[in-house]
Amino acid sequence: MRFLSLIAALLAGLVAGLGLTALVARDGVVFDRQQLGAWSFAARIGSENIDPYARARMLVSGELPLANGEGFSLVASVDDQGEKLSARCTYRVSGPLPAARFWTLTITTPDGQLLDTPLGRSSFTSAEILRFAGEAVAIEVGSRPLAGNWLPAPANGAFILTLRLYETPLSATATVLDRAKLPRVERLGCAA
Protein backbone atom coordinates (compact mmCIF):
# COMPACT_ATOMS: atom_id res chain seq x y z
CA MET A 1 0.00 0.00 0.00
CA ARG A 2 2.86 2.39 0.79
CA PHE A 3 4.38 1.63 -2.60
CA LEU A 4 1.15 2.62 -4.40
CA SER A 5 0.93 5.82 -2.35
CA LEU A 6 4.54 6.67 -3.28
CA ILE A 7 3.88 6.02 -6.99
CA ALA A 8 0.67 8.11 -6.84
CA ALA A 9 2.54 10.99 -5.14
CA LEU A 10 5.35 10.85 -7.73
CA LEU A 11 2.87 10.84 -10.61
CA ALA A 12 0.89 13.72 -9.08
CA GLY A 13 4.12 15.72 -8.66
CA LEU A 14 5.20 14.94 -12.22
CA VAL A 15 1.83 15.98 -13.68
CA ALA A 16 1.68 19.15 -11.56
CA GLY A 17 5.28 20.11 -12.42
CA LEU A 18 4.90 19.53 -16.14
CA GLY A 19 1.50 21.28 -16.17
CA LEU A 20 2.81 24.38 -14.37
CA THR A 21 5.91 24.51 -16.57
CA ALA A 22 3.75 24.30 -19.71
CA LEU A 23 1.48 27.05 -18.34
CA VAL A 24 4.41 29.36 -17.56
CA ALA A 25 6.09 28.67 -20.92
CA ARG A 26 2.89 29.15 -22.94
CA ASP A 27 1.62 32.28 -21.16
CA GLY A 28 4.98 34.02 -21.16
CA VAL A 29 5.58 34.52 -17.45
CA VAL A 30 8.98 36.18 -17.06
CA PHE A 31 10.14 36.36 -13.46
CA ASP A 32 12.58 39.25 -13.82
CA ARG A 33 10.19 41.56 -15.73
CA GLN A 34 10.27 45.17 -14.55
CA GLN A 35 7.82 48.00 -15.25
CA LEU A 36 8.75 51.67 -15.79
CA GLY A 37 5.68 53.71 -16.69
CA ALA A 38 4.14 52.12 -19.79
CA TRP A 39 7.29 50.15 -20.65
CA SER A 40 8.17 46.71 -19.33
CA PHE A 41 11.40 44.82 -19.89
CA ALA A 42 13.29 41.74 -18.79
CA ALA A 43 16.89 42.72 -18.18
CA ARG A 44 18.41 39.24 -18.49
CA ILE A 45 16.32 37.85 -21.35
CA GLY A 46 19.14 38.25 -23.88
CA SER A 47 21.95 37.03 -21.63
CA GLU A 48 23.28 33.71 -20.49
CA ASN A 49 21.57 34.40 -17.13
CA ILE A 50 18.05 34.04 -18.60
CA ASP A 51 15.73 32.18 -16.24
CA PRO A 52 14.74 28.66 -17.36
CA TYR A 53 11.05 29.52 -17.71
CA ALA A 54 11.79 32.45 -20.04
CA ARG A 55 14.07 30.15 -22.01
CA ALA A 56 11.20 27.64 -22.32
CA ARG A 57 8.84 30.40 -23.46
CA MET A 58 11.35 31.45 -26.13
CA LEU A 59 11.58 27.85 -27.28
CA VAL A 60 7.78 27.50 -27.49
CA SER A 61 7.19 30.86 -29.23
CA GLY A 62 10.17 30.70 -31.56
CA GLU A 63 11.09 34.25 -30.53
CA LEU A 64 14.77 35.15 -30.68
CA PRO A 65 15.62 37.89 -28.18
CA LEU A 66 18.33 40.46 -28.79
CA ALA A 67 21.57 39.39 -27.12
CA ASN A 68 23.04 41.76 -24.55
CA GLY A 69 25.67 43.07 -26.97
CA GLU A 70 23.15 43.58 -29.79
CA GLY A 71 20.48 45.69 -28.17
CA PHE A 72 17.55 45.90 -25.84
CA SER A 73 13.73 45.61 -26.11
CA LEU A 74 11.03 47.47 -24.21
CA VAL A 75 7.35 46.50 -24.51
CA ALA A 76 4.25 48.61 -23.80
CA SER A 77 0.87 46.91 -23.46
CA VAL A 78 -0.50 49.79 -21.36
CA ASP A 79 -0.34 53.58 -21.53
CA ASP A 80 1.26 55.81 -18.88
CA GLN A 81 -1.96 55.67 -16.82
CA GLY A 82 -1.82 51.86 -16.70
CA GLU A 83 -4.78 51.36 -19.10
CA LYS A 84 -4.51 48.63 -21.78
CA LEU A 85 -3.66 49.91 -25.26
CA SER A 86 -6.86 49.79 -27.31
CA ALA A 87 -7.55 50.30 -31.01
CA ARG A 88 -10.47 52.58 -30.20
CA CYS A 89 -8.04 55.11 -28.69
CA THR A 90 -5.34 57.38 -30.12
CA TYR A 91 -1.90 57.60 -28.47
CA ARG A 92 1.24 59.69 -28.70
CA VAL A 93 4.62 58.08 -28.07
CA SER A 94 6.90 61.02 -27.37
CA GLY A 95 9.89 62.19 -25.43
CA PRO A 96 13.48 61.18 -24.99
CA LEU A 97 14.98 57.88 -26.06
CA PRO A 98 17.92 56.10 -24.46
CA ALA A 99 21.17 56.32 -26.42
CA ALA A 100 21.22 53.86 -29.32
CA ARG A 101 22.74 53.72 -32.78
CA PHE A 102 19.38 52.69 -34.29
CA TRP A 103 15.86 52.03 -32.97
CA THR A 104 12.51 50.68 -34.15
CA LEU A 105 8.98 51.08 -32.77
CA THR A 106 6.69 48.23 -33.86
CA ILE A 107 2.97 47.68 -33.32
CA THR A 108 1.81 44.06 -33.00
CA THR A 109 -1.08 41.97 -31.77
CA PRO A 110 -0.94 40.96 -28.09
CA ASP A 111 0.56 37.60 -29.12
CA GLY A 112 3.37 39.34 -31.04
CA GLN A 113 2.16 39.00 -34.65
CA LEU A 114 2.69 41.92 -37.04
CA LEU A 115 -0.48 43.78 -37.94
CA ASP A 116 -1.77 43.85 -41.50
CA THR A 117 -2.53 47.54 -42.04
CA PRO A 118 -3.88 49.27 -45.15
CA LEU A 119 -0.56 51.11 -45.61
CA GLY A 120 1.52 48.01 -44.98
CA ARG A 121 3.28 49.87 -42.15
CA SER A 122 3.68 48.28 -38.75
CA SER A 123 6.78 50.12 -37.55
CA PHE A 124 8.91 53.26 -37.62
CA THR A 125 12.69 53.41 -37.50
CA SER A 126 15.04 56.13 -36.34
CA ALA A 127 16.18 56.56 -39.95
CA GLU A 128 12.77 57.49 -41.37
CA ILE A 129 11.05 59.48 -38.65
CA LEU A 130 10.16 63.16 -38.98
CA ARG A 131 11.74 65.14 -36.17
CA PHE A 132 10.13 68.14 -34.51
CA ALA A 133 11.76 70.89 -32.45
CA GLY A 134 11.85 70.20 -28.73
CA GLU A 135 11.16 66.45 -28.80
CA ALA A 136 13.45 63.55 -29.58
CA VAL A 137 10.53 61.53 -30.94
CA ALA A 138 6.80 62.02 -31.49
CA ILE A 139 4.75 59.22 -33.06
CA GLU A 140 0.96 59.15 -33.20
CA VAL A 141 -0.68 55.70 -32.94
CA GLY A 142 -4.31 55.28 -33.94
CA SER A 143 -6.74 53.60 -36.31
CA ARG A 144 -7.50 56.87 -38.19
CA PRO A 145 -4.85 58.75 -40.23
CA LEU A 146 -3.03 61.44 -38.28
CA ALA A 147 -0.58 64.15 -39.34
CA GLY A 148 3.14 63.63 -38.86
CA ASN A 149 4.56 60.28 -37.81
CA TRP A 150 1.46 58.09 -37.85
CA LEU A 151 1.60 54.39 -36.97
CA PRO A 152 -1.69 52.68 -37.94
CA ALA A 153 -3.39 50.73 -35.16
CA PRO A 154 -5.80 47.84 -35.81
CA ALA A 155 -9.46 48.62 -36.44
CA ASN A 156 -10.41 46.98 -33.13
CA GLY A 157 -8.96 45.05 -30.21
CA ALA A 158 -5.81 45.40 -28.18
CA PHE A 159 -2.24 45.82 -29.38
CA ILE A 160 1.26 46.23 -27.99
CA LEU A 161 4.19 48.49 -28.87
CA THR A 162 7.76 47.20 -28.92
CA LEU A 163 10.68 49.62 -28.81
CA ARG A 164 13.95 47.96 -29.86
CA LEU A 165 17.21 49.79 -29.25
CA TYR A 166 20.20 48.50 -31.23
CA GLU A 167 23.82 48.95 -30.14
CA THR A 168 22.92 50.65 -26.89
CA PRO A 169 24.79 50.88 -23.60
CA LEU A 170 21.54 49.72 -21.94
CA SER A 171 22.46 46.17 -22.82
CA ALA A 172 24.90 46.06 -19.94
CA THR A 173 23.04 48.33 -17.49
CA ALA A 174 19.38 47.55 -18.13
CA THR A 175 18.64 47.01 -14.46
CA VAL A 176 19.24 50.74 -13.81
CA LEU A 177 16.93 52.28 -16.42
CA ASP A 178 15.69 55.79 -15.68
CA ARG A 179 11.96 56.42 -16.32
CA ALA A 180 12.71 60.04 -17.29
CA LYS A 181 14.80 58.81 -20.24
CA LEU A 182 12.02 56.71 -21.79
CA PRO A 183 9.29 58.01 -24.11
CA ARG A 184 5.80 58.57 -22.73
CA VAL A 185 2.81 56.62 -24.06
CA GLU A 186 0.05 59.19 -23.66
CA ARG A 187 -3.61 58.52 -24.48
CA LEU A 188 -5.00 61.44 -26.50
CA GLY A 189 -8.61 60.29 -26.68
CA CYS A 190 -10.92 57.37 -27.38
CA ALA A 191 -13.89 56.82 -29.70
CA ALA A 192 -17.17 56.03 -28.04
Side-chain angles (χ1 to χ4, degrees):
M1 198 62 172
R2 294 181 89 201
F3 180 72
L4 288 177
S5 295
L6 179 64
I7 295 297
L10 287 173
L11 284 175
L14 181 65
V15 167
L18 289 175
L20 287 173
T21 300
L23 180 70
V24 168
R26 186 187 73 232
D27 291 342
V29 176
V30 180
F31 292 105
D32 69 344
R33 184 156 305 277
Q34 298 176 37
Q35 190 79 30
L36 284 175
W39 302 102
S40 67
F41 64 96
R44 292 187 295 264
I45 204 135
S47 76
E48 64 276 353
N49 297 329
I50 185 173
D51 73 77
Y53 295 105
R55 188 181 308 268
R57 185 181 67 78
M58 296 291 162
L59 180 65
V60 168
S61 71
E63 181 183 346
L64 184 62
L66 291 170
N68 272 356
E70 295 173 329
F72 195 72
S73 293
L74 299 151
V75 176
S77 59
V78 297
D79 61 22
D80 281 343
Q81 307 307 314
E83 300 292 324
K84 286 248 182 230
L85 298 179
S86 169
R88 56 183 206 84
C89 299
T90 303
Y91 301 91
R92 176 178 291 129
V93 179
S94 63
L97 284 167
R101 183 178 303 271
F102 186 78
W103 59 262
T104 62
L105 179 69
T106 307
I107 185 169
T108 63
T109 63
D111 62 351
Q113 302 299 313
L114 286 177
L115 292 170
D116 184 22
T117 63
L119 295 177
R121 173 180 286 282
S122 59
S123 67
F124 264 110
T125 70
S126 54
E128 63 190 358
I129 194 155
L130 298 172
R131 302 206 186 260
F132 301 100
E135 287 199 86
V137 65
I139 299 172
E140 312 296 327
V141 180
S143 57
R144 285 182 263 201
L146 299 162
N149 299 312
W150 170 54
L151 191 56
N156 54 46
F159 61 89
I160 62 172
L161 296 169
T162 303
L163 177 63
R164 288 183 184 88
L165 305 161
Y166 298 92
E167 293 187 31
T168 176
L170 285 183
S171 302
T173 61
T175 56
V176 291
L177 275 173
D178 181 5
R179 171 64 188 109
K181 295 189 178 172
L182 295 176
R184 296 174 308 281
V185 181
E186 176 186 7
R187 184 180 336 150
L188 301 177
C190 297

